[in-house]
Amino acid sequence: MTKQSSPLPVRIEVIEYQLPDNIETGISLIEQNPEWSIVEIEKKTGINTRYISDQHETALDLGLMAANKILVNNENLRSEIDVLIFVTQSPDYVLPASACILQEKLNLQTNCMAFDVNQGCSGFIYGMALSSSLITAGLANKVLLVCADTYTKYIAPDDRTCRPIFSDGAAATLISSSVESQIGPFELGTDGKGALNLLVENGGARQRSRGAIQDQKLFMDGAKVFMFSMSAVPKCVENLLHKTNKSISDIDLFVFHQASKLVLDNIIRHLSIPPEKVYCNYAQIGNTVSASIPIGLKDALDDGALKHGDLVMMVGFGVGYSWGACLLKWGVK
C-alpha cells in the first residue's frame, strides 16, 4: 500500500505499559523440559525473561491497567478521548468487542467510538494508521490506542518453538493532533498465503462448523515465518525510504517489532543498519506481539535513546502475514 505520500500532523502524547507480575526465565523452562538446551535456545532468541499472565488475567485486564496509568492523573482525559482502539488477538470473548467493555471500565464518554482490531505483530502500526487518519479526517481529537496480547495462554508447556519467545503485555498510547510532531507516510502490506503458518486453529467459527472444538494451541512454523520476515521486512523498509526520499543515515532510531535476536540481527545485517541505531529490549521483555513497538518506544524514551526531534522508523511484521512501517518525527507539541 503506497498511496499516502506525506506525513500527518499527529503526535504521541504519552505511552504507558503493563506487564504481568509472573516472570519466567530459562531456569523455569529447563525445569519443565530438561531435554532442552537453554543455552542454545537463548543464543538464537536473545530472550532471557518472559512475562506470563495469571490464569484469570486477560489482555483486557492488562490493557485496562496500562490505560489507567495514563488516565489516573488526568481525569479530564476521560471526557476528551473520542476514539478507543483495542488491538488484540486474545480477546475476552468472540463477541462483543473487547473495546466496548474497556470503554465502560475506563469510564469514557458514551459518545466515544470503540472497536477492536484483530491484528498481531504489525498491530501497532495499523493502529497508528487508523488513529492518525481519524484525527486528520476530523472524526477524532484524541485517540486511545491500546495494544494487548496474552499469547502464552495458547502455548503448550513443551512447545520449544513458541514458549521461549512470547510474553504477555499491554501498551496504551494517547494520540492527538500536533503542530510539531509528524507521523507517516505509512507502508502497509499483507500476504495471506502465510496465514496458516502462525495461527490458533481451534475456537473460531471454521472449526465449530466442523464440530471439532479442541484445545486452542498456538502453532508457528518458525522456519517459514523467519523466511517471510527476511523477505518482507527489508523490502518494506526500503520502500518507505524510497517513498520519503530518505536513507538509513537520515533515521535517528529504528524500533522494530521485537521478534527475536535471530530475526532482528538478520534484518539489521541485510539492511546494513548501524546496530546503535536499533533499539532492542527483547532480552528483558520478550516478544509481546502488538505491544512490542510501543513498549520499545517507551523504554527508548526513558533510556534517553529517543530524543526530541528524532526521526524514528517503526516496523511491525508477523502473523497474517502482515507488515507495516512508518516514520515518526518525535515532538512534544
Side-chain angles (χ1 to χ4, degrees), residues 3-31:
K3 292 182 179 180
Q4 184 210 353
S5 59
S6 59
L8 303 173
V10 173
R11 72 180 175 121
I12 292 175
E13 288 193 34
V14 62
I15 302 173
E16 295 288 353
Y17 68 83
Q18 180 70 42
L19 301 172
D21 292 331
N22 299 326
I23 298 175
E24 183 178 82
T25 65
I27 295 175
S28 308
L29 295 182
I30 60 174
E31 284 177 349

Side-chain angles (χ1 to χ4, degrees), residues 35-38 40-41 156-165:
E35 72 280 8
W36 290 7
S37 173
I38 196 62
E40 289 300 314
I41 290 173
D158 61 349
D159 186 337
R160 185 170 174 168
T161 300
C162 297
R163 190 174 174 190
I165 295 175

Side-chain angles (χ1 to χ4, degrees), residues 237 241 247-256 264-280:
V237 171
L241 290 172
S247 66
I248 297 274
S249 62
D250 294 315
I251 309 301
D252 297 300
L253 189 68
F254 289 84
V255 181
F256 290 95
L264 292 191
D265 281 357
N266 277 277
I267 291 172
I268 292 167
R269 176 185 55 79
H270 186 99
L271 290 167
S272 298
I273 303 174
E276 63 271 16
K277 284 194 170 192
V278 180
Y279 189 82
C280 296

